[in-house]
Amino acid sequence: MIEDFRRNITHRFASFFSVDWILMCAVFLVAAAGMVTMNSFVGSNFQFEKQLLWVFIMTFFSIGISFIDFRFLRRTGVLVALFASSCVVLLVLLGFVTATKGAESWFKLGGVSFQPSDPIKVILILVLAKYFSRRHIEIANIRHILVSGVYAFIIFGLVFLQPDFGSAIIMFCIWLGMVLVSGINKKHLFAVFLIGALVFGGLWVGVFKDYQKNRIMNFIHPLADIRGTGYNAYQSTVAVGSGQILGKGVGYGTQSRLKFLPEYETDFIFAAFAEEWGYVGVMLLFVLYGVIIWRVLANAVRGATNFEILFGCGVAILFISHFLVHIGMNIGLLPVTGVTVPFMSYGGSHLLTEFGAIGLLMGMRRYSRPAHKDSARNEIVGVGA
């Protein structure tokens, strides 16, 4: 009886410490920065209240799933089923869903909207992690780069056709980042970029819609049409620059509060934050994101097998891609694509994806490499596929 009680207590303590509390604290602080930025401080504040509820639920969701043993995700059959289901869902979106703001990206049930392309990013990471973990020794063979590219291109194409250019770009970044992490010949890397340039040229000629071309042209000539297609990017750069060193103060951002800056709770929340908090606040925000990436990679390197390591690297690439693209379009270095910034922008779909990803990662942390050397050996020699 005493021995059973002792084992139960030990197990509970082990489960408690399997949660990366440094990571969770950094995530919560970033989420809090986002909620403060979107809070109007006067009258009804639907978005702030809903975001607060989402963050509360997703925090417990992330911690809850971290207690699950996710080794079943190494099975090829499970990942094939997830990949096929993702393709079916994206096809349903294209065929049966009414476009919202020009894109067929959302399922709507009553007052709740859900964007499937967000969690599908994590499924793509899992599929690529499985593929590369079994072939890391011969990854220099360009055949594996091309095959993995086919997996990514299927998802990329279905998302692009919605059209959701921002999410499609993130899908490409995930694939490219995981190829680079897995190891690639420099000649093959050059070939990948050459193919990418040719594909982009083809998309520009035959696929891109006029508004997508206008966004890219506004990036090249940012002041050409600031009252029309370049308005959002111009107002965003004004907001960032007007924050100066210490910012205008919380609740005193004129660009966002007076509605000059559109979508400041989502696509341009960094610009709204920079206006109110200034350079000092932005640097603190960057430090918090640095802590998040550091902890994700720290958990990744402890993976029991190459699959867990590559999954953790993929999650880091996902966060970095969203962060860089969002910041880039907010300060005029990249075209406006509607990409959210992790844990900070308003919305439940991307929060579910981000909190779910770190929950998966912390779940994998429970059977880290020191306790499972045999599993790592089997992964290398190809046993137990």
Side-chain angles (χ1 to χ4, degrees):
M1 179 73 70
I2 295 176
E3 183 64 22
D4 290 341
F5 176 77
R6 185 185 66 80
R7 289 178 179 175
N8 186 42
I9 293 298
T10 301
H11 176 73
R12 289 180 180 275
F13 270 106
S15 298
F16 178 83
F17 286 110
S18 70
V19 176
D20 190 332
W21 295 106
I22 297 177
L23 172 59
M24 294 304 297
C25 287
V27 164
F28 181 77
L29 289 173
V30 170
M35 288 185 288
V36 169
T37 303
M38 68 182 68
N39 188 6
S40 67
F41 297 101
V42 292
S44 61
N45 204 341
F46 173 74
Q47 289 181 313
F48 169 79
E49 294 168 357
K50 193 172 181 179
Q51 186 79 348
L52 179 61
L53 178 62
W54 270 115
V55 171
F56 180 79
I57 293 173
M58 291 306 158
T59 299
F60 282 94
F61 167 72
S62 180
I63 295 174
I65 67 173
S66 71
F67 297 139
I68 299 175
D69 189 335
F70 286 108
R71 278 175 285 192
F72 70 91
L73 290 175
R74 298 177 190 170
R75 300 173 187 169
T76 301
V78 173
L79 293 177
V80 168
L82 288 173
F83 184 81
S85 300
S86 300
C87 294
V88 170
V89 169
L90 292 175
L91 285 170
V92 170
L93 275 174
L94 286 174
F96 301 99
V97 174
T98 303
T100 302
K101 294 184 178 181
E104 299 166 334
S105 306
W106 301 83
F107 284 121
K108 289 188 175 181
L109 299 173
V112 179
S113 299
F114 180 71
Q115 188 172 19
S117 60
D118 280 326
I120 288 175
K121 294 170 188 173
V122 176
I123 293 175
L124 178 61
I125 293 172
L126 288 168
V127 171
L128 293 177
K130 175 63 178 178
Y131 185 86
F132 289 131
S133 68
R134 297 299 310 278
R135 296 165 178 83
H136 66 284
I137 295 176
E138 53 182 9
I139 191 60
N141 190 326
I142 195 170
R143 176 171 65 89
H144 299 307
I145 298 169
L146 296 176
V147 172
S148 66
V150 169
Y151 292 139
F153 183 78
I154 291 173
I155 299 295
F156 172 90
L158 291 173
V159 172
F160 186 85
L161 290 174
Q162 292 176 359
D164 184 356
F165 187 59
S167 293
I169 288 297
I170 298 300
M171 301 289 187
F172 174 78
C173 290
I174 290 171
W175 171 77
L176 179 61
M178 294 192 70
V179 166
L180 294 175
V181 169
S182 301
I184 183 175
N185 186 287
K186 291 183 175 61
K187 294 180 181 178
H188 296 162
L189 180 62
F190 175 77
V192 167
F193 283 113
L194 179 61
I195 293 172
L198 294 174
V199 170
F200 179 82
L203 293 174
W204 180 273
V205 173
V207 179
F208 281 169
K209 297 184 181 298
D210 290 339
Y211 79 91
Q212 293 172 323
K213 292 181 180 180
N214 287 336
R215 286 179 175 180
I216 296 174
M217 293 307 298
N218 286 329
F219 164 65
I220 299 174
H221 304 289
L223 299 179
D225 188 16
I226 61 174
R227 294 183 181 274
T229 55
Y231 177 82
N232 293 359
Y234 176 72
Q235 294 296 334
S236 177
T237 55
V238 169
V240 173
S242 63
Q244 299 186 30
I245 301 298
L246 299 177
K248 295 180 178 178
V250 178
Y252 292 96
T254 54
Q255 296 300 113
S256 57
R257 307 299 175 178
L258 298 179
K259 307 298 182 181
F260 291 108
L261 180 64
E263 307 290 346
Y264 78 89
E265 302 92 345
T266 52
D267 298 349
F268 296 100
I269 194 167
F270 171 78
F273 176 86
E275 182 184 23
E276 296 187 353
W277 292 79
Y279 176 81
V280 173
V282 167
M283 288 299 101
L284 291 175
L285 184 66
F286 283 11
V287 168
L288 289 175
Y289 275 111
V291 171
I292 291 173
I293 300 303
W294 162 54
R295 293 311 305 165
V296 168
L297 293 175
N299 283 283
V301 297
R302 294 181 57 192
T305 69
N306 291 318
F307 172 76
E308 285 81 6
I309 294 173
L310 287 169
F311 173 76
C313 291
V315 172
I317 292 166
L318 171 65
F319 292 164
I320 291 171
S321 299
H322 268 275
F323 178 80
L324 292 179
V325 173
H326 181 93
I327 302 300
M329 73 180 194
N330 272 238
I331 61 177
L333 294 180
L334 292 174
V336 175
T337 56
V339 173
T340 57
V341 66
F343 307 106
M344 191 173 179
S345 294
Y346 172 78
S349 299
H350 77 90
L351 287 179
L352 174 65
T353 300
E354 293 148 8
F355 277 96
I358 61 176
L360 280 167
L361 187 63
M362 291 188 297
M364 295 174 180
R365 170 190 172 106
R366 296 178 63 243
Y367 51 93
S368 58
R369 183 177 293 274
H372 294 274
K373 293 180 180 178
D374 291 340
S375 297
R377 188 181 303 112
N378 289 341
E379 184 77 17
I380 292 174
V381 300
V383 177

